[in-house]
Amino acid sequence: MSIIKKPTLSFWQIFNMNVGFLGIQYSFGLQQTAINPLFLFLGASEEMLPILNIAGPVTGLIVQPIIGAMSDKTWSPKWGRRKPYFLIGALIGSMCLFVFPSSPVLWFAVGLLWILDVGNNMAMEPYRAFVGDKLPEKQLSLGYQMQSLFVGAGILLAMGSIVLFQKIFGAEVVEGTDVVPTWMYYSFYVGGVLSITTVLWSVLKTPEIPPSAEELEEINHDKSQPIGARIAKPFAEIASAIRDMPSFMWKISAVYLFQWYALFVYWQYITPLFMKTMGYGISEAASQSAQMSLTYNIVTMVVALALVPLTLKYGGKKIYAFSLVGTGLALFTIPFIENSLLVLAPMVLFGIGWAAMMGIPYTMVSKVVPQERRGVYMGILNMMIVIPMGIETLTFGPIYKYLLGGNAINAILFAGGFFIIAAILAMRLNVTAEESQA
């Protein structure tokens, strides 16, 4: 397979190609902080929260690798390779966000979360491959840390909107009434607008690199096959890619098992934590949780690009492992702080960790997988995210109820321990000379 020489892009070209991540991550931010309070408003119990969130892991496991494999074998002179997928995904996500706060009952909101997750996963995976497609290896770290910056910016806006609208419109008392408060509507409406407009910005500003003659010949060959063969092709690609997967990716799957299990626990139980430690109602606790996310995403935006020279100097493995230790220490601290301002301090460590998690692994993987299979391997990497999340949704409800005493404090401490284990496993992430695609 011939390798296409990629031109070096300017800072603003890399910036423009990643703007769409802002809207995608705004939606993801709402899932982190607003969806679980919304479920609580509609009558869900705390121990139900893990299983109600199973949509994310299941849709991620199914959608991302399939879309990745399909986008590897797609080319349109007008629309490109990856852009059609994340544009359609953004449209689906945008429509769901406009409808979400109007959910009349719990089952409707849960069903809508499934559709929203399909759209978000359809947009997310090709976007990861899109950066790898466009950038030469020397700019991969900048490209993925720029994505990390927009991860922080999108979630920052989502959390900021929740805090703002709750302060302005949150006087109403709706605890236990199975009604979503009016203040939650506005954050979802902003997300609906951002989801599609930011993706359109990147689609219109960033042309894709055409495939090589060999790739185009293979793509045209696939198009000429019967419909059954074309449907089966992505599944065959996924199976083949897993069979040929570099050992580095197996090692990172162990890190991700503990890292993403812990993150899902944090997102689900940080609101119940503040209901316990600070005596808040759901609205106040949700606002405090949003302030936590607001803080760590501000830090993520500040440090994301600063991690680029650090990873070049000390290596991605060490910076990644160090950041996971810091995240674990933050979670060990939060349950013992009862001051609403002081409790924001540990989120500095969490924000550094989040910046590393959203950039460094993608840079490392992009260097060890074949260019022509980058889409399917980015999909498999995201499978390694959603499988731990799926395990968490199925197992943590009983763990929370029977082993942790139904206590949100213990849940957050449990997550902190998993981050420390992830950090230890991250020290095994060595790239061999045979695996490097340099």
Side-chain angles (χ1 to χ4, degrees), residues 25 28-29 32-33 148 151-153 155-156 159 263 266-267 270 289-304 327 330-331 334 343-355 357-358:
Q25 291 301 318
F28 185 54
Q32 285 182 22
T33 304
S148 183
V151 168
I155 300 176
L156 179 70
M159 300 307 102
L263 280 167
Y266 170 81
W267 289 328
I270 190 64
S289 300
Q291 291 176 58
M292 302 289 278
S293 293
L294 195 64
T295 303
Y296 81 71
N297 281 287
I298 290 173
V299 175
T300 294
M301 287 185 63
V302 171
V303 306
T327 309
L331 296 195
I334 290 167
V343 78
L344 301 177
M347 303 317 286
V348 173
L349 289 175
F350 199 107
I352 294 170
W354 186 237
M357 288 179 242
M358 289 292 97

Side-chain angles (χ1 to χ4, degrees), residues 134-157:
K134 286 284 292 182
L135 297 177
E137 184 172 333
K138 65 182 180 180
Q139 290 191 303
L140 282 175
S141 182
L142 176 59
Y144 283 114
Q145 288 305 135
M146 183 72 78
Q147 276 200 352
S148 183
L149 184 149
F150 276 107
V151 168
I155 300 176
L156 179 70
L157 285 174

